[in-house]
Amino acid sequence: QVQLVESGGGLVQAGGSLRLSCAASGSIRAINDMAWYRSIFGKKRDLVALFTSGDSPNYADSVKGRFTISRDNAKNTMYLQMNSLKPEDTAIYYCKMNVDSSWSLKSDYWGQGTQVTVSS
């Protein structure tokens, strides 16, 4: 099995920064795509940033220039650096990885979600 554990959420004032982490563990052979999503007020999860293996990262228009996705392959970990945060960034943030494991190929796994609250 593969597990993703998120950390780094919290409460921050508008204009501030937070860094989210997502660490994968288990019988991992390769990590393909990595992505961050967010859910605002319990609505569907919207894509925030995507890191496709071999390609440059892609971002939602609403976060371009403010958020940066990165990965540490040696640690099976990805990050989301969030700068210049706005109240409308308040959401539960979820990480997702597409993984080749001992059990399956190209399976999606989700983190548990971490709350980010930006006060005005």
Side-chain angles (χ1 to χ4, degrees), residues 7-8 12 15-22 36 48-49 59 63-71 78-85 89 93 116:
S7 61
V12 64
S17 298
L18 283 174
R19 187 194 195 203
L20 306 183
S21 300
C22 176
W36 288 96
V48 174
Y59 299 94
V63 306
K64 280 182 181 177
R66 300 188 297 121
F67 290 12
T68 303
I69 187 173
S70 61
R71 61 195 291 175
M78 69 171 177
Y79 306 95
L80 185 68
Q81 178 67 43
M82 305 185 293
N83 298 327
S84 303
L85 282 161
D89 294 318
Y93 285 72
V116 171

Side-chain angles (χ1 to χ4, degrees), residues 2-80:
V2 175
Q3 289 186 326
L4 304 187
V5 177
E6 299 181 39
S7 61
L11 173 65
V12 64
Q13 288 188 330
S17 298
L18 283 174
R19 187 194 195 203
L20 306 183
S21 300
C22 176
S25 62
S27 302
I28 298 169
R29 293 183 175 178
I31 297 176
N32 305 311
D33 300 346
M34 293 179 166
W36 288 96
Y37 288 75
R38 67 186 181 187
S39 174
I40 300 175
F41 297 124
K43 295 182 179 179
K44 70 177 182 69
R45 298 176 187 182
D46 293 320
L47 181 65
V48 174
L50 171 66
F51 217 146
T52 302
S53 180
D55 291 336
S56 299
N58 290 291
Y59 299 94
D61 288 342
S62 59
V63 306
K64 280 182 181 177
R66 300 188 297 121
F67 290 12
T68 303
I69 187 173
S70 61
R71 61 195 291 175
D72 184 334
N73 292 329
K75 296 181 178 180
N76 289 335
T77 299
M78 69 171 177
Y79 306 95
L80 185 68

